[in-house]
Short mmCIF file of all heavy atoms in Angstrom, two decimals:
data_model
loop_
_atom_site.label_atom_id
_atom_site.label_comp_id
_atom_site.label_asym_id
_atom_site.label_seq_id
_atom_site.Cartn_x
_atom_site.Cartn_y
_atom_site.Cartn_z
N LEU A 280 65.50 147.66 97.42
CA LEU A 280 66.33 146.86 98.31
C LEU A 280 66.07 145.34 98.13
O LEU A 280 66.98 144.54 98.31
CB LEU A 280 66.06 147.28 99.75
CG LEU A 280 66.60 148.65 100.17
CD1 LEU A 280 66.14 148.97 101.59
CD2 LEU A 280 68.13 148.66 100.04
N TYR A 297 80.63 127.26 94.24
CA TYR A 297 82.06 127.24 93.84
C TYR A 297 82.95 126.64 94.97
O TYR A 297 83.82 125.82 94.69
CB TYR A 297 82.55 128.63 93.53
CG TYR A 297 84.01 128.70 93.23
CD1 TYR A 297 84.57 128.32 92.06
CD2 TYR A 297 84.89 129.17 94.24
CE1 TYR A 297 85.91 128.38 91.80
CE2 TYR A 297 86.23 129.27 94.02
CZ TYR A 297 86.76 128.84 92.81
OH TYR A 297 88.12 128.89 92.57
N ALA A 299 82.03 124.55 97.27
CA ALA A 299 81.72 123.10 97.36
C ALA A 299 82.46 122.34 96.33
O ALA A 299 83.12 121.34 96.59
CB ALA A 299 80.22 122.86 97.29
N LYS A 319 103.02 103.55 97.37
CA LYS A 319 104.35 103.33 96.91
C LYS A 319 105.29 103.05 98.09
O LYS A 319 106.26 102.25 97.96
CB LYS A 319 104.85 104.58 96.17
CG LYS A 319 104.19 104.74 94.79
CD LYS A 319 104.71 105.98 94.10
CE LYS A 319 104.05 106.08 92.64
NZ LYS A 319 104.52 107.30 91.93
N GLY A 364 122.62 80.12 105.19
CA GLY A 364 121.70 80.95 104.49
C GLY A 364 120.23 80.79 104.95
O GLY A 364 119.46 81.72 105.01
N SER A 373 112.65 77.79 103.93
CA SER A 373 113.62 76.78 103.60
C SER A 373 114.56 77.33 102.53
O SER A 373 114.18 78.24 101.78
CB SER A 373 112.97 75.49 103.10
OG SER A 373 112.39 75.70 101.82
N ASP A 410 113.15 75.80 115.13
CA ASP A 410 113.61 76.20 116.47
C ASP A 410 114.99 76.86 116.43
O ASP A 410 115.85 76.59 117.28
CB ASP A 410 113.61 75.00 117.43
CG ASP A 410 112.25 74.38 117.59
OD1 ASP A 410 111.27 75.13 117.59
OD2 ASP A 410 112.15 73.13 117.66
N TYR A 452 102.42 73.25 107.83
CA TYR A 452 103.50 72.88 108.75
C TYR A 452 103.09 71.67 109.56
O TYR A 452 101.95 71.24 109.61
CB TYR A 452 103.78 74.07 109.71
CG TYR A 452 104.40 75.24 109.06
CD1 TYR A 452 103.64 76.34 108.70
CD2 TYR A 452 105.80 75.27 108.82
CE1 TYR A 452 104.23 77.46 108.12
CE2 TYR A 452 106.41 76.37 108.23
CZ TYR A 452 105.63 77.47 107.87
OH TYR A 452 106.17 78.57 107.29
N ALA A 461 106.12 81.61 98.64
CA ALA A 461 106.45 81.72 97.21
C ALA A 461 107.93 81.29 97.02
O ALA A 461 108.80 81.68 97.79
CB ALA A 461 106.29 83.15 96.70
N SER A 492 99.89 97.13 109.52
CA SER A 492 100.17 98.34 110.30
C SER A 492 100.06 99.60 109.47
O SER A 492 100.08 100.72 109.98
CB SER A 492 101.61 98.29 110.87
OG SER A 492 102.58 98.26 109.82
N GLY A 521 94.00 84.64 99.07
CA GLY A 521 93.97 83.38 98.33
C GLY A 521 93.01 83.37 97.18
O GLY A 521 93.00 82.45 96.36
N ILE A 527 87.05 88.96 92.20
CA ILE A 527 86.57 89.96 93.12
C ILE A 527 85.99 91.14 92.36
O ILE A 527 84.96 91.69 92.78
CB ILE A 527 87.73 90.42 94.02
CG1 ILE A 527 88.19 89.28 94.91
CG2 ILE A 527 87.28 91.63 94.93
CD1 ILE A 527 89.42 89.59 95.74
N TRP A 615 64.55 146.02 107.91
CA TRP A 615 64.53 147.17 108.86
C TRP A 615 64.87 148.45 108.09
O TRP A 615 64.23 149.49 108.28
CB TRP A 615 65.56 146.86 109.94
CG TRP A 615 65.71 148.04 110.92
CD1 TRP A 615 64.86 148.37 111.93
CD2 TRP A 615 66.73 149.01 110.92
NE1 TRP A 615 65.31 149.48 112.62
CE2 TRP A 615 66.48 149.91 111.98
CE3 TRP A 615 67.88 149.23 110.14
CZ2 TRP A 615 67.28 151.00 112.26
CZ3 TRP A 615 68.67 150.29 110.43
CH2 TRP A 615 68.40 151.17 111.50
N SER A 635 49.73 169.41 96.53
CA SER A 635 49.40 169.58 95.10
C SER A 635 47.93 169.93 94.94
O SER A 635 47.54 170.47 93.88
CB SER A 635 49.72 168.35 94.28
OG SER A 635 48.87 167.25 94.65
N THR A 670 51.50 179.13 103.56
CA THR A 670 50.28 179.39 104.35
C THR A 670 50.11 180.87 104.66
O THR A 670 49.04 181.45 104.51
CB THR A 670 50.27 178.52 105.60
OG1 THR A 670 50.37 177.15 105.23
CG2 THR A 670 49.01 178.77 106.42
#
Side-chain angles (χ1 to χ4, degrees):
L280 290 175
Y297 173 77
K319 289 180 177 179
S373 69
D410 300 325
Y452 291 99
S492 62
I527 296 172
W615 178 78
S635 69
T670 301

